[in-house]
Amino acid sequence: MDSRLEAIRDTVLSRNPGEAEFHQAVTEVFESLGPVHDRHPELLEAAILERLCEPERQIIFRVPWTDDSGRVQINRGFRVEFSSALGPYKGGLRFHPSVYLGIVKFLGFEQIFKNALTGMPIGGGKGGSDFDPRGRSDAEVMRFCQSFMTELYRHIGEYTDVPAGDIGVGGREIGYLFGQYKRITNRYESGVLTGKGISWGGSLVRPEATGFGTVIFTEEMLKTRGQSFDGQRVVVSGSGNVAINAIAKAQTLGATVVACSDSGGYIVDEGGIDVALLREVKEVERARLTEYASRRSGVAYVEGGSVWEVDATVALPCATQNELDGDAAATLVRNGLIAVGEGANMPSTRDAVSVFQDAKILFGPGKAANAGGVATSALEMQQNASRDSWTFEHTEARLTEIMVGIHDRCAATADEYGDPGNYVLGANIGGFVKVADAMLAQGLI
Ligand code: NDP
């Protein structure tokens, strides 16, 4: 890392102790930015990096609610409004027991650059809670969401901060959150949340967008080497929103997806995953992958273990941060891997990224490859603002155009900075330059 940036990074780390994921995300971005500061020393004088690493606002709040037996439960809620240089804060809410400030800040920091890469007018933010929706009844999830929104509502708004879903927050949760926002404010403000249901202000393609977009980005990377998804053997981690839609899109393009996982284990289905059955099990019944294995012949279920042990030519990590380490990366490379598209945020550890890059594997980092979700959220905001709703075909065409644009911008930036094919460098510099320009123009705020 450039020594000037290393000094700034060290200060950021010491000002934010105990936030390992935030430290990792900051370090990874700083490692790419030395050459930009050589060309533009004015960025150092304006302390752009120091400002970017300090969120504009951080909100931490108590979320009290009662479970079905009447017992009082207390969770912690977060919203980190990182950067409004390019538009209202935009980023999802994550409900998972692992959530703490360091995770929300890593996600919010990544979101700034991701959102810049989309070319849409959206700033960066993220939020969530250590609430675990798994095993909770609909009524408990509703009471939790209502309590969460009872505090959050005063901080958000269509021109201020526009949350969406992430791990543990899907259509059901967005519905309860929107209902409570409307009730408190007495305003039908569609643009305050994205990921809404289609009949009440949502956008077609939003549920599919992150997974679809990841596959579209990966397909563009494959094309640079004269290849495509057609005929590839694909392994996906996770079996939530992003994973399921990545599987669906990859198979539409002619790939066979042979494995996916949840936090309990993974399935291997050599015939190609049956997407309709997977949706039924995970989205409708909210059941485990064991259920998929029990209903389809020829499927192996492996409890625990790593899905990355299954050989593949394309890997799509779509579960969570740091789920693919250096050893797993080395195994994948030995087994014939040619490309990785990150559907999740920061799923590959820094060691894993080095293994992929050393082996000249096509590697699409999450902040570029999974930007289709937030881009389609911005399309949802556009439809809400004009009180319009677009067809599936039109919205999917816009998503494809945006993903191809992000790919090309990352590739062109990597070329410009002398490291062709390095999408990590391309994404970090491409996103940063846009935000930095806006910050310089807007003065010291
Ligand atoms: P979901 O909650 O729908 O699914 C998450 C999946 O990952 C589940 O299969 C879950 O398994 C698994 N998982 C989650 N945490 C862990 C863990 N600690 N260990 C092992 N497995 C885990 O979330 P999404 O699909 O929405 O999100 C997945 C990833 O994509 C996240 O990194 C998210 O930040 C990122 N992302 C999501 C976007 C979106 O639009 N939803 C947009 C951009 C990025 P189990 O059910 O067993 O917990």
Side-chain angles (χ1 to χ4, degrees):
M1 187 186 299
D2 180 296
S3 59
R4 298 162 302 177
L5 272 57
E6 195 170 12
I8 301 169
R9 195 275 315 258
D10 290 347
T11 306
V12 172
L13 265 52
S14 66
R15 278 170 64 80
N16 298 278
E19 298 176 359
E21 296 81 2
F22 180 51
H23 297 176
Q24 184 182 342
V26 167
T27 300
E28 190 256 332
V29 169
F30 276 37
E31 276 170 345
S32 299
L33 298 183
V36 186
H37 288 82
D38 290 339
R39 289 189 195 184
H40 299 286
E42 70 274 16
L43 298 175
L44 286 170
E45 279 158 39
I48 294 293
L49 282 175
E50 290 91 328
R51 284 154 64 188
L52 264 180
C53 291
E54 188 69 27
E56 290 177 18
R57 194 172 298 104
Q58 305 184 56
I59 303 139
I60 303 180
F61 51 100
R62 179 171 64 199
V63 189
W65 56 285
T66 49
D67 64 22
D68 284 346
S69 61
R71 222 183 349 250
V72 173
Q73 303 279 347
I74 304 295
N75 285 101
R76 188 170 292 171
F78 301 89
R79 187 71 185 166
V80 174
E81 299 178 333
F82 237 110
S83 167
S84 61
L86 297 178
Y89 312 106
K90 182 87 196 88
L93 298 170
R94 176 176 292 192
F95 292 169
H96 192 272
S98 63
V99 168
Y100 76 108
L101 190 58
I103 293 225
V104 181
K105 280 169 69 178
F106 118 65
L107 290 164
F109 186 70
E110 292 273 295
Q111 197 84 46
I112 303 171
F113 308 103
K114 179 189 308 194
N115 293 4
L117 283 170
T118 66
M120 318 289 283
I122 41 181
K126 199 83 188 187
S129 173
D130 57 1
F131 171 70
D132 187 357
R134 268 184 25 201
R136 292 293 180 187
S137 68
D138 285 354
E140 288 176 318
V141 170
M142 181 181 75
R143 287 196 295 275
F144 173 81
C145 288
Q146 290 179 338
S147 181
F148 186 85
M149 185 53 87
T150 299
E151 172 59 33
L152 188 69
Y153 89 94
R154 67 187 88 243
H155 307 290
I156 62 176
E158 115 181 69
Y159 297 108
T160 314
D161 183 353
V162 185
D166 190 79
I167 291 177
V169 179
R172 174 182 61 172
E173 290 74 17
I174 294 292
Y176 295 146
L177 291 164
F178 184 73
Q180 185 72 352
Y181 181 85
K182 185 162 60 84
R183 180 193 203 184
I184 296 172
T185 60
N186 194 28
R187 283 166 61 85
Y188 203 106
E189 192 182 328
S190 301
V192 72
L193 288 170
T194 59
K196 299 181 294 296
I198 300 306
S199 59
W200 43 278
S203 172
L204 289 166
V205 192
R206 178 61 190 91
E208 295 85 358
T210 308
F212 276 25
T214 300
V215 169
I216 296 166
F217 186 94
T218 309
E219 175 90 343
E220 291 304 303
M221 291 199 300
L222 287 165
K223 280 187 197 164
T224 64
R225 298 206 183 150
Q227 293 172 308
S228 73
F229 261 98
D230 194 19
Q232 304 293 346
R233 181 181 161 90
V234 180
V235 168
V236 173
S237 64
S239 49
N241 171 271
V242 180
I244 293 173
N245 290 295
I247 294 169
K249 185 72 173 178
Q251 299 206 142
T252 306
L253 294 180
T256 306
V257 182
V258 294
C260 69
S261 61
D262 61 19
S263 53
Y266 65 88
I267 50 166
V268 182
D269 188 344
E270 289 290 343
I273 288 182
D274 176 341
V275 175
L277 176 59
L278 187 63
R279 284 195 194 280
E280 173 65 26
V281 168
K282 298 304 278 188
E283 293 178 346
V284 180
E285 299 171 18
R286 299 180 189 274
R288 316 298 303 157
L289 279 178
T290 41
E291 202 49 44
Y292 178 98
S294 72
R295 289 195 213 165
R296 189 163 146 92
S297 63
V299 176
Y301 177 76
V302 182
E303 196 173 333
S306 162
V307 74
W308 309 121
E309 280 154 20
V310 181
D311 61 296
T313 53
V314 178
L316 303 175
C318 297
T320 194
Q321 65 278 349
N322 292 328
E323 50 154 317
L324 200 171
D325 64 14
D327 290 342
T331 303
L332 282 165
V333 171
R334 253 195 324 274
N335 287 342
L337 188 78
I338 58 171
V340 179
E342 291 190 328
N345 285 308
M346 207 168 72
S348 310
T349 64
R350 291 179 62 219
D351 285 350
V353 177
S354 301
V355 170
F356 293 140
Q357 291 186 326
D358 290 349
K360 304 279 180 239
I361 304 292
L362 291 164
F363 177 75
K367 67 170 72 69
N370 72 33
V374 75
T376 310
S377 277
L379 299 179
E380 183 174 330
M381 291 161 74
Q382 218 174 310
Q383 291 168 76
N384 292 153
S386 58
R387 300 188 184 280
D388 195 3
S389 52
W390 304 342
T391 62
F392 193 96
E393 292 69 28
H394 175 69
T395 317
E396 192 181 19
R398 290 282 290 119
L399 168 65
T400 304
E401 192 183 2
I402 291 166
M403 292 314 297
V404 172
I406 294 173
H407 170 273
D408 293 353
R409 209 163 305 134
C410 293
T413 307
D415 287 348
E416 184 191 335
Y417 281 86
D419 198 353
N422 186 341
Y423 291 93
V424 173
L425 186 90
N428 285 337
I429 294 183
F432 171 75
V433 165
K434 232 179 141 204
V435 180
D437 282 351
M439 289 173 74
L440 285 176
Q442 291 171 22
L444 184 56
I445 52 173

